[in-house]
Amino acid sequence: MMMEPKGPGGHSTRGSHRLAQVGTCYRKWFLRWVRALKPNKSPIYFLEGTLAHIALAYYRANQLRQLGRAVPKWFYEESMQDCLLRNGEGFPDAVALGNSIFQAYHARYSPAGLDAWDPIAIEEEYTATLGQIRQLIIPGCAPRPDDHEVFTSRIDLMLRVNGLLWACDYK
């Protein structure tokens, strides 16, 4: 079985990845989420995407630190380089890609005033029931049998731009 990536990120516990899979192929969903079986090998672009997310999460966590804000626990538990190496073990080109993404962001956005994004949270999971979501979309709607169903979403980056909150996905 494949190991789950460690460090920042990953699927949310009851989010869109899981829901999309049950809608696409019930058998695949059952094997993955009920039986906890995973393929022995995933396409390289999955690993590269994971390493890109790690690099960008560390870039934004460092930005939070520089702003004097609360930084996610994982930022202090392991260096970005160690996290990239551990998650990309055996794939040096993918690790180099993660490092180059971090360096490109740092070179482009670190000089004063070039990054208009104001990070609020990184790789944080948010939870709501369908009833709560429904009430936000249709205020005053009647209760429904599935109101108690929980939905989660792990947001890559919550940020403030021009006074508004934005949920940002790195892809």
Side-chain angles (χ1 to χ4, degrees):
M1 262 198 276
M2 249 174 65
M3 275 183 45
E4 282 290 323
K6 303 264 188 220
H11 296 299
S12 64
T13 51
R14 285 183 56 107
S16 61
H17 292 92
R18 188 173 181 167
L19 295 173
Q21 193 172 56
V22 75
T24 305
C25 177
Y26 178 78
R27 184 170 186 258
K28 187 175 178 182
W29 172 86
F30 178 82
L31 292 172
R32 169 64 181 97
W33 297 104
V34 177
R35 299 294 305 271
L37 299 174
K38 296 181 224 166
N40 288 329
K41 186 176 179 184
S42 292
I44 187 68
Y45 53 82
F46 283 169
L47 175 61
E48 290 170 344
T50 296
L51 299 182
H53 271 77
I54 289 169
L56 293 173
Y58 274 89
Y59 174 81
R60 293 297 176 184
N62 188 52
Q63 188 181 17
L64 281 177
R65 186 185 58 78
Q66 291 171 344
L67 292 169
R69 297 193 183 141
V71 177
K73 183 173 70 166
W74 49 258
F75 182 78
Y76 295 111
E77 291 177 342
E78 182 176 38
S79 72
M80 181 189 79
Q81 190 60 38
D82 288 344
C83 190
L84 289 173
L85 288 169
R86 185 173 40 74
N87 283 282
E89 185 177 359
F91 296 90
D93 290 345
V95 172
L97 176 66
N99 278 311
S100 67
I101 288 170
F102 180 87
Q103 293 303 324
Y105 264 72
H106 182 71
R108 172 66 177 94
Y109 296 111
S110 287
L114 290 181
D115 195 341
W117 288 10
D118 182 12
I120 304 301
I122 302 161
E123 297 288 352
E124 200 164 303
E125 185 170 278
Y126 297 88
T127 303
T129 65
L130 288 178
Q132 291 170 322
I133 295 168
R134 195 175 285 124
Q135 285 296 320
L136 289 171
I137 296 170
I138 313 166
C141 74
R144 296 198 180 160
D146 62 355
D147 278 352
H148 68 283
E149 287 294 325
V150 175
F151 181 78
T152 63
S153 183
R154 183 177 309 280
I155 307 295
D156 293 346
L157 176 64
M158 287 297 291
L159 53 104
R160 190 176 307 280
V161 178
N162 298 326
L164 300 174
L165 281 177
W166 292 85
C168 177
D169 190 317
Y170 294 137
K171 295 180 268 339

